[in-house]
Amino acid sequence: MPVYKAPVEDVMFLLNDVFPIERHNNLPGFADATTDVVEAILAEGAKLCEEVFAPLNRTGDIEGCTRNPDGSVTTPKGFKQAYEAYAAGGWMGLSVPEEFGGQGLPSLLNSIMQEFVSSSNLALGMYPGLTQGAIAALLVHGTEEQKRTYLPKMVEGAWTGTMNLTEPHCGTDLGMLKTKAVPNGDGSYAISGTKIFISAGEHDMAENIVHLVLARIEGAPAGTKGISLFVVPKFLVNQDGSVGERNGVSCGSLEHKMGIHGNSTCVMNYDGARGWIVGQENRGLNAMFVMMNEARLAVGVQGLAQSEVAYQNAVAYAKDRLQGRSLTGAKSPDKPADPIIVHPDVRRTLLSIKAFNEAARALVVWTGLNSDIAHRSSDETERLTADDYMGLMTPVVKGVLTDLGFDNAVKAQQMFGGHGYIEEWGMSQFVRDARIAMIYEGANGIQAMDLVGRKLGKDGGRAIMTFFNEVGAFCQENANDESLAAFIAPLQQGLGHLQQATMWFMQNAMAKPDNAGAGATDYMHLFGTVAMGYMWAKMAKAAQGRKAEGNGVAAKMDAKLLTGRFYMERMMPETGTRLARITTGADTTMALPVEAF
Ligand SMILES: Cc1cc2nc3c(=O)[nH]c(=O)nc-3n(C[C@H](O)[C@H](O)[C@H](O)COP(=O)(O)OP(=O)(O)OC[C@H]3O[C@@H](n4cnc5c(N)ncnc54)[C@H](O)[C@@H]3O)c2cc1C
């Protein structure tokens, strides 16, 4: 069976040494999050994931979900109990305000826990994950009554949440959506239409399911400007808060899909279901964006999570599997062959995954911290900068971490040779499960367009300029530190490539938008490579600071520094290739006539 150990120690290095969490104890919820408390919380979370979630990953994949003749859905054996253990542990409301039953802790901790959950069992983790997204949307846009009605139950885990955007004819282009909402005259609406691919749309884990549904009110304008958001519970809620009669929403069928078999992906039929508007009329996309942005970051974390668990299993295998001899002479002469980890090509593969995982985790922590500052700081300037970063980093975290998360799951599978292709080793499942993260929550091509088309130019380029200034200042401050030379020079070069690419878009994309479209994915990856390079430089600085410590710390810091140097030498140079691709423009890409494809 595949192994998994949550990387608590690595997270604590980030929270203690790289982005010291205690420096932020002026923010609401942070004073309670001392490093000791955080470590204890994460150790508990790790235990749940390693001992309860992970053992159900493969069985859930094999068994999948079943739709019963009455339209109910049964999840794989053990999922309900595991979900109940998650809810009982208070994980759902970790960062939800205390007035709604949560613990009010930094949302950063939630992002970290999402990694552990998604590594141990992605399909299972999506049930609470979607609920947390729905909670976030209701917290921002729900009425007081909606918050009182739904939030405590959702935070407790008694009710789960979903997001319903996609329809058969529209996924990316939501402006075409047809689901309609007709006023009932009593403040509620009758919602009718078909939604497809709805994750956790129906299941047996909770007593009620709270659907957040995009629909068009009769007579509303066409396109995205006529879409509203509605809360549509599976069971109507009585005055006293108890679960009442069944609403007109049901699961028509389940999709048979490539991965995440333990998660129910449903066709949802709305037949005059009663729903209540959330936020303003025709501003539904705006309200749904709260959930979508939360979900995009969470999906980025899913990419990292699959990369991490696949890596851990590849390392265990590479230390164990005996094939061939080391190029520099036998390393296990008492055995018939050396373990494959002696081979440079195997080490190159493993190190490229490890170097990504540690940098991506730092990026998630940095982004999570910015999210908390954006939502909780009383300093307006600080809030604005953090919010700018969130906007800028969301498509990068979603797109880059999931593209590379999938690539890394494939690389880790490769370490097993033919055995990686055989289901019982579990590597095939990591590859299959990782694939969806590149697609849902906005396919990655759309994330790249969001970054280049919307985020770069927003507020006169304020966010990207702040990023350039921050990384540039870091390079300058550490320019004379010999111990960081292997980090600063490549980072400076990568930053230069990113600045040139940004400038090239400014000069060439306005008049010719195809130039932006053709270069967007390369730009998103160029950005991700530099952002992770910055993370490595910061980690290297922190690791240098701790090298003198005893108790095995020095060896761990050396390992950090070596992994970081691998990133700088082997992965950072990609920025030059990306820049070269971007600046060729769109001419060749767009010249081929459609019939020539
Ligand atoms: C397992 C699973 C779970 C899901 N869960 C949910 C859920 O819970 N709720 C929900 O609402 N939806 C869910 N989805 C739907 C998912 O979010 C959509 O599939 C996704 O947004 C893409 O929409 P689409 O499939 O219609 O593809 P399309 O929009 O048809 O896109 C097809 C391809 O064209 C590209 N493309 C489209 N437009 C452009 C453009 N303007 N520029 C460049 N490229 C473009 C896209 O990048 C994509 O590669 C889920 C899907 C799956 C498979």
Side-chain angles (χ1 to χ4, degrees), residues 163 165-166 171-172 197-199 257 265 436 439-441 443 446:
M163 59 191 295
L165 291 78
T166 310
T172 303
F197 299 158
I198 304 308
S199 300
K257 54 195 193 289
T265 308
I436 186 58
I439 300 171
Y440 58 21
E441 272 324 311
I446 303 303

Side-chain angles (χ1 to χ4, degrees), residues 343-401:
H343 303 307
D345 192 58
V346 168
R347 298 177 70 101
R348 175 193 63 80
T349 308
L350 293 176
L351 260 169
S352 65
I353 311 177
K354 180 175 165 62
F356 163 82
N357 290 350
E358 292 175 25
R361 185 169 298 118
L363 198 58
V364 167
V365 166
W366 187 55
T367 309
L369 199 52
N370 274 309
S371 168
D372 279 316
I373 296 170
H375 289 111
R376 300 181 188 211
S377 175
S378 53
D379 178 329
E380 201 181 325
T381 316
E382 199 180 60
R383 245 188 1 245
L384 193 74
T385 306
D387 199 51
D388 279 354
Y389 272 151
M390 287 297 297
L392 195 63
M393 295 316 292
T394 299
V396 177
V397 168
K398 195 301 181 170
V400 176
L401 269 53

Side-chain angles (χ1 to χ4, degrees), residues 121-307:
N121 196 324
L122 179 56
L124 175 54
M126 284 172 66
Y127 295 93
L130 281 149
T131 309
Q132 287 175 331
I135 289 171
L138 287 171
L139 269 172
V140 177
H141 292 286
T143 61
E144 282 313 308
E145 193 188 340
Q146 286 167 348
K147 288 184 199 172
R148 272 198 318 277
T149 306
Y150 298 107
L151 290 180
K153 288 286 189 186
M154 293 169 84
V155 170
E156 187 189 310
W159 299 355
T160 60
T162 70
M163 59 191 295
N164 290 238
L165 291 78
T166 310
E167 299 180 5
H169 58 283
C170 78
T172 303
D173 190 354
L174 288 168
M176 294 196 288
L177 77 77
K178 289 182 183 157
T179 298
K180 66 173 185 196
V182 181
N184 285 326
D186 62 355
S188 72
Y189 290 79
I191 312 287
S192 301
T194 301
K195 295 285 179 181
I196 63 165
F197 299 158
I198 304 308
S199 300
E202 178 60 46
H203 57 79
D204 54 1
M205 291 178 172
E207 63 181 15
N208 204 358
I209 303 178
V210 180
H211 302 291
L212 291 186
V213 185
L214 288 181
R216 198 181 299 282
I217 297 174
E218 253 190 343
T224 51
K225 295 205 162 62
I227 299 174
S228 302
L229 179 64
F230 297 87
V231 56
V232 186
K234 173 179 165 185
F235 290 100
L236 297 172
V237 183
N238 295 325
Q239 280 297 330
D240 64 359
S242 62
V243 165
E245 69 183 83
R246 181 77 197 239
N247 203 355
V249 48
S250 59
C251 166
S253 63
L254 285 184
E255 305 293 353
H256 299 280
K257 54 195 193 289
M258 176 176 173
I260 52 165
H261 293 156
N263 195 265
S264 59
T265 308
C266 306
V267 172
M268 298 300 296
N269 296 323
Y270 291 84
D271 298 312
R274 283 184 78 190
W276 288 264
I277 198 160
V278 178
Q280 291 170 26
E281 209 171 283
N282 298 335
R283 299 270 296 148
L285 266 186
N286 181 48
M288 192 57 127
F289 254 111
V290 174
M291 182 162 188
M292 282 153 73
N293 280 335
E294 285 262 327
R296 283 177 180 177
L297 291 173
V299 170
V301 173
Q302 292 176 0
L304 160 63
Q306 293 305 292
S307 178

Side-chain angles (χ1 to χ4, degrees), residues 504 512 514-515 518 581-593:
W504 192 87
K512 204 167 162 190
D514 278 347
N515 279 333
R581 285 201 198 123
I582 291 165
T583 51
T584 60
D587 290 349
T588 321
T589 311
M590 300 311 287
L592 201 63

Side-chain angles (χ1 to χ4, degrees), residues 77-92:
K77 196 158 170 277
F79 269 40
K80 185 171 161 53
Q81 292 74 13
Y83 171 77
E84 283 166 1
Y86 175 97
W91 296 105
M92 193 78 86

Side-chain angles (χ1 to χ4, degrees), residues 419-535:
H419 301 275
Y421 201 68
I422 307 300
E423 286 293 336
E424 70 183 78
W425 285 92
M427 300 308 285
S428 159
Q429 185 187 352
F430 297 138
V431 171
R432 289 186 285 102
D433 285 0
R435 184 67 182 87
I436 186 58
M438 300 160 74
I439 300 171
Y440 58 21
E441 272 324 311
N444 284 357
I446 303 303
Q447 301 301 328
M449 287 300 294
D450 177 43
L451 177 66
V452 171
R454 291 181 56 232
K455 302 292 172 59
L456 281 190
K458 194 165 175 273
D459 303 312
R462 193 176 64 207
I464 187 78
M465 290 313 292
T466 310
F467 179 79
F468 290 161
N469 290 341
E470 178 173 335
V471 181
F474 181 89
C475 289
Q476 229 169 16
E477 276 159 31
N478 296 287
N480 297 325
D481 185 342
E482 263 309 299
S483 71
L484 290 179
F487 292 86
I488 300 302
L491 177 59
Q492 238 160 354
Q493 189 178 43
L495 180 66
H497 290 155
L498 183 62
Q499 286 168 324
Q500 287 174 59
T502 311
M503 189 58 76
W504 192 87
F505 278 141
M506 282 180 187
Q507 289 164 350
N508 296 281
M510 289 293 219
K512 204 167 162 190
D514 278 347
N515 279 333
T521 290
D522 278 306
Y523 185 86
M524 180 177 75
H525 279 278
L526 168 51
F527 197 130
T529 307
V530 173
M532 286 192 279
Y534 178 44
M535 295 298 107

